[in-house]
Amino acid sequence: MLTTTFARGSAGQESPTGSSSTATPAKVAASAENRDAETFLFEAERFADVAVLRYRVPGFDGLDRRTKTLLYYLYEAALSGREIIFDQKYRYNLAIKRTLEEVFKHYPGNRDTADFRALVVYLKRVWFANGVHHHYSNDKFAPGFGFAAFERFVKATPGRFPLRAGQTLDELLADLEPVMFDPSVDAKLVSKGGADVLAASAVNFYGPDLTQREVAEFYAARSVPNDPSPVSAGLNSRLVRENGVLAEQVWKVGGRYTEAIERVVAWLEKAHGVAENDAQRAALAKLVAFYRSGNLRDWDAYNIAWVADTESSVDAINGFVEVYNDPLGMRGSFESVVSFRDPEATKRINAIAAEAQWFEDRMPILERHKKPDCTGIIGRVITVVIESGDASPTTPVGINLPNADWIRQRYGSKSVYLANIVEASDEIRHGADREFAWDEADAERSTRWGRLAAVLHTDMHEVIGHGSGRIDAGVGPMHETLKNYGSTLEEARADLVALYYAIDPKLVELGLMPSVEVGEVEYERYIRGGLQQQLYRIVPGNDIEEDHMRNRQLVAAWVYEHGKPDNVIERRVRDGKTYFVIRDYQKLRELFGRLLCELQRIKSEGDYDAIRDLVERYAVKVDPAMHAEVLMRYEKLNVPGYWGFIGPRLVPVERGGAIVDVRVEYPADFGARMLEYAERYAFLPTWS
Ligand SMILES: [Zn+2]
């Protein structure tokens, strides 16, 4: 599971204006490098609705040679798999990307025209989204140029275009015309609505002629009733019809994507050779074994070994992990996040993790849904070196893995908070929270505590949120029971745990915040985010599709409605602007607790009808009047709708064939960096 609190996340989760003077533990940890931060240019460029940022890797230079070498190998392993996500998302993505890259590199004509500039923006959007669908709304981009111009550019460019065997350039163009220029063709990357979610989704996890029902039957026939350790069925394959029967094309060495996976494996094997300790070595060996076999039991064995590796400084997530891009919630998108630990800031997250049982015991959920043994939750704060695949350029700010519930319950899970990513995200905050605050006192409070409130929310969401609760005996995994509503439920559940405890004096007692005022600020941010601010990312007329956004509106709208009799949250209007003002924080806390209890019940019992009704009633539809108002208010704020990152470059310094040092560089040109990737890591065939 991932948290998208800042980097991809909603305005509601954003910190307030500018930099707060609050010395949060994370800030203290980074203070030694504050001088660098003052001169470091965080924002590289903006186009369409996004900003491209850079992040620093504080502490890298001071690492020893072996650690730097290990990070370098994992960096190469991460980037070697980066193109997989393009093909996973849409079967034409690699062809479009490569065609546009050729034009971008070699077009000899005048580039200073409206059409060419539009083509460059379109290509940047494709790079940013890892494909032709918006990374957040999932809607296909409309190119700002026509097919005739595209055809002209391609034909005038002496490039090497990604033709199929025997295909002419005209035939390639004919293939791409509807895909790029007809808005009705594959309009939605992932759609959770409609009669058949597969028919409505362009994602390339299933053969084009498969129905949702067939897929469900395929896996139902293979699921083992009451299996205490079910594999993550479908996680690492594409499902297609071959000779009339359904079959999985497994992503592994020798299978689909082998060209990239072999490179990933080669770098992982090098990393294995310089591992820090036995636990890390064992985990890397099991990851390699999984990539070689494609066997999902090997994936589970790897995850168990990865959870057991608690002492290492260096960590890598590398694999088919999150299932948000699959409308059926089964298939994992390739991603990698390579990092090392920030020991000071880790103390904060561990202060929460150490009390996990205390929190679990006091949760407002049914006794039978509480976990009796919460010992396995590991939280840490990390410094990100590189991200790839689905984690880049947009990135989560918190990650909690593994995703298999039975492994989490038996072996625990690890949570990370991506501190240097959050630092960079903070740099482009503008006055959005101030705009939605009721008065000056409100705005001041939000400025003072917003950052700390958000940090604690993310920590609790990951460490005691996702990690909490248990499923009733005999109830299957969420993707079977709650299907397309599972991810929304799980994110809401984790948020509600964090919200329920946000104003608990326990956090003051633990030294995590100076007063419960911090938690009250989080309540304000959350309510305004869920009811108003996040709407600025939605195109007028559209429903809310993304799980985290659905979750926030579900929670905020539900407590608003259920608090009405007691006027818990007051809706006020001044000068034509709507404000939500919290009148009773304790009652609001109780409402969060009630909804948490219900969502945990739904998860534990696998009550599909209940979650469908909740999500469809509260989380999907947008109030058009409020939406228009929010868009108008944001227009003045100069806040980019989304942001993502150009990753740093690691450069090995070699002497006599051995790595003696690794240098970190910070590229500032998004296009140049993307072309560099395209040249170094284009291992996959365009058509497969
Ligand atoms: Zn989450």
Side-chain angles (χ1 to χ4, degrees):
M1 295 290 171
L2 54 84
T3 310
T4 60
T5 315
F6 293 88
R8 251 186 221 170
S10 83
Q13 294 301 313
E14 283 175 21
S15 250
T17 327
S19 59
S20 126
S21 59
T22 317
T24 68
K27 273 205 144 173
V28 173
S31 65
E33 313 245 354
N34 274 354
R35 262 170 310 156
D36 290 354
E38 280 165 24
T39 52
F40 189 83
L41 190 68
F42 285 96
E43 184 167 337
E45 69 173 299
R46 291 193 187 193
F47 51 86
D49 56 352
V50 306
V52 179
L53 311 181
R54 311 192 301 159
Y55 56 88
R56 302 176 310 134
V57 190
F60 185 88
D61 291 340
L63 298 171
D64 62 56
R65 183 179 65 170
R66 195 193 44 72
T67 305
K68 285 181 181 174
T69 306
L70 174 59
L71 285 166
Y72 170 67
Y73 291 151
L74 294 169
Y75 162 97
E76 291 286 2
L79 292 176
S80 295
R82 75 177 301 277
E83 283 200 337
I84 291 173
I85 187 68
F86 281 85
D87 190 72
Q88 282 182 318
K89 280 188 158 182
Y90 188 43
R91 61 195 188 284
Y92 290 101
N93 276 341
L94 284 173
I96 293 168
K97 170 183 177 298
R98 289 172 181 173
T99 301
L100 292 166
E101 283 169 352
E102 287 301 293
V103 173
F104 184 67
K105 282 190 291 188
H106 303 302
Y107 178 65
N110 180 11
R111 294 173 172 235
D112 193 18
T113 65
D115 279 337
F116 198 86
R117 283 194 297 270
L119 178 135
V120 172
V121 169
Y122 180 73
L123 172 56
K124 286 181 176 177
R125 300 186 83 182
V126 169
W127 281 329
F128 191 90
N130 297 315
V132 299
H133 298 87
H134 193 278
H135 73 282
Y136 207 88
S137 73
N138 286 326
D139 294 322
K140 194 165 82 171
F141 300 134
F145 54 100
F147 176 70
F150 178 60
E151 186 176 33
R152 221 170 41 241
F153 290 136
V154 169
K155 288 192 166 169
T157 299
R160 297 197 2 244
F161 289 101
L163 304 173
R164 298 175 197 258
Q167 193 182 38
T168 66
L169 194 56
D170 280 320
E171 286 163 351
L172 173 68
L173 287 166
D175 267 5
L176 298 185
E177 179 175 3
V179 167
M180 287 171 63
F181 296 93
D182 182 343
S184 70
V185 173
D186 296 323
K188 203 88 185 161
L189 179 70
V190 183
S191 174
K192 308 222 161 117
D196 185 307
V197 293
L198 295 188
S201 302
V203 75
N204 191 24
F205 288 135
Y206 302 90
D209 58 340
L210 266 54
T211 65
Q212 186 176 350
R213 195 165 141 205
E214 279 180 301
V215 175
E217 284 168 2
F218 179 85
Y219 287 104
R222 281 158 185 77
S223 93
V224 182
N226 301 319
D227 185 350
S229 50
V231 295
S232 304
L235 186 75
N236 67 331
S237 64
R238 179 169 184 258
L239 190 66
V240 295
R241 195 187 317 279
E242 280 175 357
N243 306 320
V245 291
L246 297 198
E248 289 182 335
Q249 297 176 329
V250 179
W251 308 325
K252 61 169 192 158
V253 172
R256 191 171 172 85
Y257 303 142
T258 187
E259 301 85 351
I261 293 173
E262 285 168 37
R263 309 288 182 125
V264 173
V265 163
W267 288 110
L268 289 175
E269 285 176 332
K270 279 175 176 279
H272 179 264
V274 293
E276 289 173 66
N277 53 48
D278 289 345
Q280 186 180 61
R281 202 170 295 120
L284 286 168
K286 287 187 157 61
L287 179 57
V288 167
F290 164 69
Y291 273 131
R292 290 193 182 286
S293 73
N295 186 329
L296 286 166
R297 291 271 170 225
D298 288 342
W299 174 247
D300 290 340
Y302 158 67
N303 277 287
I304 291 164
W306 178 79
V307 169
D309 175 17
T310 57
E311 298 303 314
S312 305
S313 161
V314 170
D315 196 19
I317 293 163
N318 183 310
F320 308 108
V321 181
E322 304 289 0
V323 296
Y324 301 101
N325 287 327
D326 179 359
L328 300 181
M330 301 178 77
R331 306 191 127 74
S333 298
F334 176 83
E335 73 170 13
S336 186
V337 178
V338 177
S339 66
F340 58 95
R341 188 192 308 221
D342 177 338
E344 278 308 308
T346 293
K347 285 181 190 157
R348 181 193 69 226
I349 209 165
N350 278 347
I352 297 169
E355 297 289 332
Q357 193 68 57
W358 188 96
F359 290 112
E360 184 84 16
D361 291 345
R362 284 156 188 81
M363 268 183 211
I365 60 177
L366 300 177
E367 282 306 317
R368 67 172 183 277
H369 296 152
K370 290 181 186 175
K371 211 194 265 186
D373 175 17
C374 284
T375 51
I377 301 164
I378 302 295
R380 43 198 247 162
V381 179
I382 58 170
T383 302
V384 172
V385 174
I386 196 73
E387 298 175 301
S388 145
D390 204 32
S392 175
T394 59
T395 160
V397 295
I399 304 173
N400 179 296
L401 291 173
N403 281 332
D405 259 312
W406 67 269
I407 298 180
R408 304 166 69 86
Q409 292 191 15
R410 227 175 289 166
Y411 300 93
S413 62
K414 289 201 284 195
S415 273
V416 293
Y417 179 75
L418 289 59
N420 57 330
I421 295 283
V422 174
E423 179 202 43
S425 305
D426 272 350
E427 289 297 317
I428 61 153
R429 294 268 149 65
H430 298 285
D433 286 12
R434 185 164 279 271
E435 166 65 27
F436 289 85
W438 169 247
D439 58 19
E440 193 54 29
D442 230 7
E444 281 302 313
R445 223 159 76 111
S446 171
T447 302
R448 192 169 336 121
W449 301 125
R451 169 130 196 231
L452 179 58
V455 163
L456 286 174
H457 179 87
T458 304
D459 284 353
M460 289 194 288
H461 173 109
E462 296 296 344
V463 175
I464 57 172
H466 284 310
S468 68
R470 61 173 170 178
I471 291 177
D472 288 348
V475 174
M478 256 198 320
H479 72 84
E480 282 177 16
T481 55
L482 306 183
K483 304 188 178 72
N484 44 325
Y485 297 107
S487 294
T488 299
L489 174 133
E490 183 54 22
E491 292 311 319
R493 207 181 60 80
D495 269 357
L496 284 162
V497 171
L499 290 165
Y500 183 74
Y501 285 114
I503 61 167
D504 196 304
K506 180 76 175 175
L507 299 186
V508 180
E509 198 185 296
L510 290 171
L512 295 167
M513 61 188 195
S515 83
V516 295
E517 204 182 14
V518 177
E520 293 174 0
V521 166
E522 181 57 28
Y523 282 13
E524 288 154 13
R525 292 154 41 80
Y526 199 92
I527 296 300
R528 292 165 191 165
L531 293 179
Q532 297 184 288
Q533 288 175 256
Q534 70 171 357
L535 297 179
Y536 88 104
R537 295 158 178 263
I538 301 281
V539 175
N542 282 10
D543 286 344
I544 299 177
E545 296 275 352
E546 201 276 335
D547 292 318
H548 295 82
M549 288 180 83
R550 282 187 168 190
N551 132 46
R552 291 186 199 110
Q553 181 167 306
L554 167 64
V555 171
W558 191 94
V559 294
Y560 173 66
E561 185 183 297
H562 287 76
K564 266 184 184 166
D566 293 327
N567 200 26
V568 175
I569 301 167
E570 198 169 274
R571 183 184 168 127
R572 300 182 187 167
V573 178
R574 183 178 59 209
D575 303 333
K577 292 177 176 180
T578 310
Y579 299 86
F580 289 93
V581 180
I582 297 168
R583 301 299 307 271
D584 190 330
Y585 294 90
Q586 283 305 329
K587 283 218 172 98
L588 181 52
R589 183 186 188 192
E590 285 161 28
L591 289 170
F592 286 139
R594 257 173 66 197
L595 183 56
L596 172 60
C597 180
E598 173 62 1
L599 293 190
Q600 181 63 54
R601 182 198 67 74
I602 291 170
K603 179 179 179 183
S604 295
E605 296 175 4
D607 187 345
Y608 176 81
D609 289 348
I611 190 62
R612 183 199 57 215
D613 291 351
L614 274 175
V615 171
E616 294 297 339
R617 171 142 182 227
Y618 292 100
V620 177
K621 293 292 170 207
V622 178
D623 169 4
M626 177 63 76
H627 193 188
E629 180 192 323
V630 168
L631 292 178
M632 219 177 62
R633 290 166 76 174
Y634 262 91
E635 214 168 298
K636 299 189 205 112
L637 295 170
N638 194 31
V639 180
Y642 309 90
W643 54 93
F645 293 90
I646 308 178
R649 181 190 298 116
L650 296 193
V651 183
V653 181
E654 288 176 274
R655 203 171 299 146
I659 295 176
V660 293
D661 194 13
V662 178
R663 237 178 30 240
V664 58
E665 297 175 352
Y666 300 103
D669 184 324
F670 180 60
R673 184 65 167 149
M674 291 296 111
L675 285 184
E676 183 187 334
Y677 282 163
E679 255 143 54
R680 290 200 58 179
Y681 305 106
F683 301 125
L684 296 182
T686 304
W687 306 101
S688 58

